[in-house]
Amino acid sequence: MPYFGSEETVKELKRALSNPNVQADRLRYKNYITKVIRYMTQGLDVSALFMDMVKASAKVDIVQKKLVYLYMCTYASDKPDLALLAINTFRKDCADPNPMVRGLALRNMCNFRMPGMTEYIEQPIVAGLRDKASYVRRVAVLGCAKMHSLQPNTEIDGIIVNELYALLRDPDPVVVVNCLRALEEILKDEGGVVINKPIAHHLLNRMKDLDSWAQSEVLTFLLRYHPRSDDELFDVLSLLHAFLQSAHAHVAVATLRLFLHLASAHPAVQADALLCTSAPLLATCGAASRELRFTGLCHVQQVMRSQPGLFGTHYKCFFCGYSEPTYIKFRKMEILVELVNDENVALVLEELRSYCTDVSPELAQAAIAAIGRIARTYSEKCLDILTGLLALKQDHITSAVIQTFRDLVWFCPQSTAAVCQTVEACVDSPQDSEGKQTLLWLLGEHGEQISSAPYVMEGYIDGLKTELSSAVKMELLTTAVKTFLCRPAETQDMLGRLLHYCIEEESDVCVRDRALLYYRLLQRGVEETRKVVTGPKSDPSMSVLTGRQEEPISQWASTFNTLGLLSGRDLCLQTAVISAADQPSNSTGKELLPDVTLSSPNDTEEEISLSLGPPLSHETFEKMWLDLEILHRQTLGSPRPRTAPDTLQAALQLVKIQTLAFTPGDTVLWKAYIYTRSTGTLILAELLQGDPQAPGSDESLVVSVKQQPVNQHAIRGFASILKSVLQTLNVDSS
Amino acid sequence: MAASAIFILDLKGKVLICRNYMGNVNINEIDNFMPIMMKREEDADLSPVVIHGSTHFLWIKHSNLYLVAITKKNTNAALVYSFLYKLVEVFTEYFKSLEEESIRDNFVTVYELMDEVMDFGFPQTTDSKILLEYITQRGHKLEVGAPRPPATVTNAVSWRSEGIKYRKNEVFMDVIESVNLLVSATGSVLRSEILGCIKLKVVLSGMPELRLGLNDKVLFEITGREKSKSVELEDVKFHQCVRLSRFENDRTISFIPPDGESELMSYRLNTTVKPLIWIESVIEKFSHSRVEIKVKARSQFKSRSTANNVSILVPVPSDADSPKFKTTTGQAKWVPEKSAVEWNIKSFPGGKEFMMRAHFGLPSVESDVLEAKRPITVKFEIPYFTVSGIQVRYLKIIAKSGYQALPWVRYITQSGDYQLRTN
């Protein structure tokens, strides 16, 4: 019972450890030490025993030594003064004739994470680097990195760095790789270890001696080396070719990454390398361990971005097994969708069809969505399947099918007639709010083709009182107005009832506002309403017709074989935050800008597009704000919008301006900080009302803009977008 | 790769063992792991990477343990997972089975091992054979000669120590092929693949050189023996001891073997072979009253081979009761915890057909829970037989001291992931 009476336990142990009788009996002594470690593992604070444990370290039993060392490393940072007492034992052990003991002592000494350690460990480390036992050298080399991490801001010790570079020629392969690792850590701020031609070729020749971990890492280090000529390049590649089919998935993938990187100017070589690796990748996708299988699938997915045909014939490898976890099944389905071609479409669809009735609703819905994606090319077959699924009358399936229909109609307008027919025949209506909204959208958008549309809608209007979701109510309003526009005779009465209810009795403000909006719009006339309410009925970009484009390999090669690939987009953002916070002046931000940009909805004199990009932390913003000069100051000519803060934030988000902070409510000196990105520049701005220094600003907002790097064009664009948003908001709220 | 720390947790997320290798993460970060996992599990959104702030948890689950690596770098994920599995392998080698109990009982050795396999977040010595040479579960006294790092830690041949001696020199070679099969409910084969591997148990003195000859199609084409029966191997992978350059040049498999047991090579064959054991099943469910199951198993290999220990697992509804069986051979029994009927046939000769009928009662009140359609799984092994037809033509042992050594070769085919979906 470690948590109860822990003081008692510690006292008891202390008594036992200092008992000379126990100390004399080696076995009993060791048992007590084991007990201490066991309590430590269980989370009990046994740091009070430090003195007794230091004494125990002088004993000869090597396992006991290891335990005591482990204990000391854990508590050294809490008891730095006592830890210093142990140093002598360590230094003595560092000179032990047994290399095992030397290595052990050195390793643990370097693991003491407390200030002031450096002066004690430097000498043993330097001695260890020249030790004749490779076991000690391995430890010493990494010790250099540990020493540096203890005092990261001190100047880099040139002698040690040179020594490490020299040890790259060590006969022991692990020492070689440890040198690379240590140099990488030590020279982190200078861009890591330098791989020049002799080093690169030396490493390439040693590759086959290394274990798989080391191979994988050396391959990553070699990414830094650029062969001078094509001849050299091909020499390098031919040396590495065998590793493309390594037994270890991580080595094969690391080799592929290096190939893609080195041969960026030779697409044929890249394609060849991809072909070579396709077998090991497929094998990884069938690996016994699910995590590796998942990794394999992620890599396959990435390769397919450039070479969609590569795995076409192996589509059966991506059929889901019964016991696989859902995250693997999801990936497999995504891949299957991409792999579909004329030959395999029937089998793939049959397979996906069997997933649709899976017990897990998430999986079933994903399978239905997957069929929907395939339907964009093979609509007829898929629509048959989807229609068949409706007959099952399962709520989650019906809802998912309807949602799939919506996407299909949007992306693939030629299937509209068939979909409308099915929806018409579908008696069962979805029960969840997402499904309801979708069905309503379909009814509103294609009301003229679904003869029963007004009656289905009427059912919803009659059940309005029991409807909980305000999103459904809003969708219902829109649908009713749209249907009214195409079939006024049947709908007029129910639209009236709906508007009346929503305006008079509805408690949700948003729904009420929406109803009022439509009511006033209709007052302006039908034509006016039509102009506002109807939008495009299908994806205007017609992406389906052009198909998915094959991306160049360079687009993804940089993230290949990294963690980012597995966790998808989230991680990219994560790392972006870190890098932005670390080095605000760096231009890495440019690459990290997401590709989704939205051009401003208002006409500005020049085209300018803003984007949100990765979020900035408050600290980063503050730091940058203090560092930068104000580049532009302008009165916006409109007062602060009297809307709710959320509305303001949402409106700004719509035009891709992020709100960082603003003063609450009706403070006299109202301020807001916002930021956005545009074509490689970051724009920071402050909105201020009631600034006494700015002339004539008692009512109107003043914006001050800072930017990095400077781009006047972007600032003008930003100001005009901001201006129009604020004006729109003011008009709405007044 | 730089894993900042490695944790071993029990199923509730309590830390059993933790090793902070780099010291750049707070050890308490692990407390965030379990809550995130639980939330994810609820949302059915589990993934092998869990992110909390700038900390990434990469985890695997083994029996009742979680092995979690924490990293702050954008590392090579495949490497981290491979390392965690390697860790499992090493522990299993030491403690026979890796589970909460064995970790608790052997925590001293666990700490010792974790100290050796990784330093400052970088993998060091992970070969369990080498580790076994200098970390034993018995304590060592310095006077009686504490373990020294084995020569292998410094050797040019890193997988074999020098100075090994045996009285009787022998090599045992197992050619094992496992068949993965997936058959759809309509009876069409969706996937069929053969995973082969050659395992060695080497009891040889000194530094012998071995050469292995297979009926490899490519080799036969080079040497002009195209008429003989040969096998086209795909995706061949070797143990690091095999000289890859020689294999590339003239397809010779030559190597200095590791001592003891090891896996020499593995290969994959994607050829569509006739499923070795074919199952036809009819599962009729009469709601509220009974389930009737009829299973026909047919062996589709030559009659001179025999499949042993065939076990056919047929799913039944979880609320079924009062079983009745009738079989033409073997024994059928109900396994309620798996909700399945297990039909065991000790010996199943080739070219035969057997039947099993089962009858279950169903409760009159039906549960609302939708039941998953589980597949029928089959387990078997066929000795003295390989599906691919691979053969060891010779295994030459060349020892400098010139001793005589005997090679022994065994063949076996077994079921891998062998599933047939049901309606």
Coordinates of all heavy atoms in Angstrom, one line a residue, chain A residues 553-592:
Chain A
I553 N 5.3 14.7 -57.3 CA 5.8 14.0 -56.1 C 6.4 15.0 -55.1 O 6.2 14.8 -53.9 CB 6.9 13.0 -56.6 CG1 6.2 11.8 -57.3 CG2 7.7 12.5 -55.4 CD1 7.1 10.8 -57.9
S554 N 7.0 16.0 -55.6 CA 7.6 17.0 -54.7 C 6.6 17.6 -53.7 O 6.9 18.0 -52.7 CB 8.2 18.1 -55.5 OG 7.2 18.7 -56.3
Q555 N 5.3 17.5 -54.1 CA 4.3 18.1 -53.2 C 4.2 17.4 -51.9 O 4.0 18.0 -50.9 CB 2.9 17.9 -53.9 CG 1.8 18.7 -53.4 CD 1.6 19.9 -54.3 OE1 1.3 19.8 -55.4 NE2 1.7 21.1 -53.7
W556 N 4.5 16.1 -51.9 CA 4.3 15.4 -50.6 C 5.6 14.8 -50.1 O 5.7 14.3 -49.0 CB 3.2 14.3 -50.7 CG 3.3 13.4 -51.9 CD1 2.6 13.6 -53.1 CD2 4.1 12.2 -52.1 NE1 2.9 12.6 -53.9 CE2 3.8 11.7 -53.3 CE3 5.0 11.6 -51.2 CZ2 4.4 10.6 -53.8 CZ3 5.6 10.4 -51.7 CH2 5.3 9.9 -53.0
A557 N 6.6 14.7 -51.0 CA 7.9 14.0 -50.6 C 8.4 14.5 -49.3 O 9.0 13.7 -48.5 CB 8.9 14.1 -51.7
S558 N 8.2 15.8 -49.0 CA 8.9 16.3 -47.8 C 8.2 15.7 -46.5 O 8.9 15.6 -45.5 CB 8.8 17.8 -47.8 OG 7.5 18.2 -47.7
T559 N 7.0 15.4 -46.5 CA 6.4 14.8 -45.3 C 6.3 13.3 -45.3 O 5.9 12.7 -44.4 CB 4.9 15.3 -45.2 OG1 4.2 14.9 -46.3 CG2 4.8 16.8 -45.0
F560 N 6.8 12.7 -46.4 CA 6.8 11.3 -46.5 C 7.6 10.7 -45.3 O 8.6 11.2 -44.9 CB 7.4 10.8 -47.8 CG 7.1 9.4 -48.2 CD1 5.8 9.1 -48.5 CD2 8.1 8.5 -48.3 CE1 5.5 7.8 -48.9 CE2 7.8 7.2 -48.6 CZ 6.5 6.8 -48.9
N561 N 7.1 9.6 -44.8 CA 7.8 8.9 -43.7 C 8.0 9.7 -42.4 O 9.0 9.6 -41.8 CB 9.2 8.4 -44.2 CG 9.7 7.3 -43.3 OD1 9.0 6.7 -42.6 ND2 11.0 7.2 -43.3
T562 N 7.0 10.6 -42.1 CA 7.1 11.3 -40.9 C 5.8 11.1 -40.1 O 4.8 10.5 -40.7 CB 7.2 12.8 -41.1 OG1 6.1 13.3 -41.8 CG2 8.5 13.2 -41.9
L563 N 5.8 11.6 -39.0 CA 4.6 11.4 -38.1 C 3.4 12.2 -38.6 O 2.3 11.8 -38.5 CB 5.0 11.9 -36.7 CG 4.1 11.5 -35.6 CD1 4.0 10.0 -35.5 CD2 4.8 12.0 -34.3
G564 N 3.8 13.4 -39.2 CA 2.7 14.3 -39.7 C 1.8 13.5 -40.7 O 0.6 13.8 -40.6
L565 N 2.3 12.6 -41.4 CA 1.5 11.9 -42.4 C 0.4 11.1 -41.7 O -0.7 11.0 -42.2 CB 2.5 10.9 -43.1 CG 1.9 10.0 -44.1 CD1 1.3 10.7 -45.2 CD2 3.1 9.2 -44.6
L566 N 0.7 10.6 -40.5 CA -0.2 9.7 -39.8 C -1.4 10.5 -39.2 O -2.5 10.0 -39.2 CB 0.5 8.9 -38.8 CG 0.9 7.5 -39.2 CD1 2.0 7.6 -40.1 CD2 1.3 6.7 -38.0
S567 N -1.0 11.6 -38.7 CA -2.1 12.3 -38.0 C -2.8 13.3 -38.8 O -3.6 14.1 -38.4 CB -1.5 12.9 -36.7 OG -0.3 13.6 -37.0
G568 N -2.4 13.4 -40.1 CA -3.1 14.2 -41.1 C -2.8 15.7 -40.8 O -1.8 16.1 -40.3
R569 N -3.8 16.5 -41.1 CA -3.6 17.9 -41.2 C -3.3 18.5 -39.8 O -2.6 19.5 -39.7 CB -4.9 18.5 -41.7 CG -4.6 19.8 -42.5 CD -5.8 20.4 -43.1 NE -5.4 21.6 -43.8 CZ -4.8 21.6 -44.9 NH1 -4.5 20.5 -45.6 NH2 -4.5 22.8 -45.5
D570 N -3.9 17.9 -38.8 CA -3.8 18.5 -37.4 C -2.3 18.8 -37.1 O -2.0 19.9 -36.6 CB -4.3 17.5 -36.4 CG -5.7 17.1 -36.6 OD1 -6.3 17.8 -37.5 OD2 -6.2 16.2 -36.0
L571 N -1.5 17.8 -37.4 CA -0.1 17.9 -37.0 C 0.6 19.1 -37.8 O 1.4 19.8 -37.2 CB 0.6 16.6 -37.3 CG 2.0 16.6 -36.6 CD1 1.9 16.4 -35.2 CD2 2.8 15.6 -37.3
C572 N 0.3 19.2 -39.1 CA 0.9 20.3 -39.8 C 0.7 21.6 -39.1 O 1.6 22.4 -39.0 CB 0.3 20.3 -41.2 SG 0.6 18.9 -42.2
L573 N -0.6 21.8 -38.7 CA -0.9 23.0 -38.0 C 0.0 23.1 -36.7 O 0.5 24.1 -36.3 CB -2.4 23.1 -37.6 CG -3.2 23.1 -38.9 CD1 -4.7 23.2 -38.5 CD2 -2.9 24.4 -39.7
Q574 N 0.0 22.0 -36.0 CA 0.7 21.9 -34.7 C 2.2 22.4 -35.0 O 2.7 23.3 -34.3 CB 0.8 20.5 -34.2 CG -0.5 20.1 -33.6 CD -0.9 20.7 -32.3 OE1 -0.1 21.4 -31.7 NE2 -2.1 20.6 -31.9
T575 N 2.8 21.8 -35.9 CA 4.2 22.1 -36.1 C 4.3 23.5 -36.6 O 5.3 24.2 -36.2 CB 4.9 21.2 -37.1 OG1 3.9 20.8 -38.1 CG2 5.5 19.9 -36.5
A576 N 3.4 24.0 -37.3 CA 3.4 25.4 -37.8 C 3.4 26.3 -36.6 O 4.1 27.3 -36.6 CB 2.2 25.6 -38.7
V577 N 2.6 26.0 -35.6 CA 2.5 26.9 -34.5 C 3.9 26.9 -33.8 O 4.4 28.0 -33.5 CB 1.5 26.4 -33.5 CG1 1.5 27.2 -32.2 CG2 0.1 26.4 -34.1
I578 N 4.5 25.8 -33.7 CA 5.8 25.7 -33.0 C 6.8 26.6 -33.7 O 7.5 27.4 -33.2 CB 6.3 24.3 -32.9 CG1 5.3 23.5 -32.1 CG2 7.6 24.2 -32.3 CD1 5.4 22.0 -32.2
S579 N 6.8 26.4 -35.1 CA 7.8 27.1 -35.8 C 7.6 28.6 -35.8 O 8.5 29.4 -35.8 CB 8.0 26.5 -37.2 OG 6.8 26.8 -37.9
A580 N 6.3 28.9 -35.9 CA 6.0 30.3 -35.9 C 6.4 31.0 -34.6 O 6.9 32.1 -34.5 CB 4.5 30.6 -36.2
A581 N 6.1 30.2 -33.5 CA 6.5 30.8 -32.2 C 8.0 30.9 -32.0 O 8.5 31.8 -31.4 CB 5.8 29.9 -31.1
D582 N 8.7 29.9 -32.6 CA 10.1 29.9 -32.4 C 10.8 31.0 -33.1 O 11.7 31.6 -32.7 CB 10.7 28.5 -32.8 CG 10.3 27.5 -31.8 OD1 9.9 27.9 -30.7 OD2 10.6 26.3 -32.0
Q583 N 10.4 31.2 -34.3 CA 11.1 32.1 -35.2 C 10.1 32.9 -36.0 O 9.8 32.6 -37.2 CB 12.1 31.3 -36.1 CG 11.4 30.0 -36.6 CD 12.5 29.0 -37.1 OE1 12.1 28.1 -37.6 NE2 13.7 29.2 -36.9
P584 N 9.7 34.0 -35.4 CA 8.7 34.8 -36.1 C 9.2 35.5 -37.4 O 8.4 35.8 -38.2 CB 8.2 35.8 -35.0 CG 9.3 35.8 -34.0 CD 9.9 34.4 -34.1
S585 N 10.5 35.6 -37.4 CA 11.0 36.3 -38.6 C 11.3 35.4 -39.7 O 11.6 35.8 -40.8 CB 12.3 37.0 -38.2 OG 13.2 36.1 -37.7
N586 N 11.1 34.1 -39.5 CA 11.4 33.2 -40.6 C 10.3 33.2 -41.6 O 9.1 33.4 -41.3 CB 11.6 31.8 -39.9 CG 12.4 30.9 -40.8 OD1 12.1 30.9 -42.0 ND2 13.3 30.2 -40.3
S587 N 10.6 32.9 -42.8 CA 9.6 32.9 -43.8 C 9.0 31.6 -44.0 O 8.3 31.4 -45.0 CB 10.2 33.4 -45.1 OG 11.2 32.5 -45.5
T588 N 9.2 30.6 -43.1 CA 8.6 29.3 -43.3 C 7.1 29.4 -43.4 O 6.5 28.5 -43.9 CB 9.0 28.4 -42.1 OG1 8.8 29.1 -40.9 CG2 10.4 27.8 -42.2
G589 N 6.6 30.4 -42.8 CA 5.1 30.6 -42.8 C 4.5 30.5 -44.2 O 3.4 30.0 -44.4
K590 N 5.3 30.8 -45.2 CA 4.8 30.8 -46.6 C 4.4 29.4 -47.0 O 3.4 29.2 -47.6 CB 6.0 31.3 -47.5 CG 6.0 32.7 -47.7 CD 7.1 33.1 -48.7 CE 7.6 34.4 -48.4 NZ 8.9 34.7 -49.2
E591 N 5.3 28.5 -46.7 CA 5.0 27.1 -47.1 C 3.8 26.5 -46.3 O 3.1 25.7 -46.8 CB 6.2 26.2 -46.9 CG 7.3 26.6 -47.7 CD 8.6 26.3 -47.0 OE1 8.6 25.4 -46.2 OE2 9.6 27.0 -47.3
L592 N 3.6 27.1 -45.1 CA 2.6 26.5 -44.3 C 1.2 27.0 -44.5 O 0.3 26.6 -43.9 CB 3.0 26.7 -42.8 CG 4.3 26.0 -42.4 CD1 4.9 26.5 -41.1 CD2 4.1 24.5 -42.4

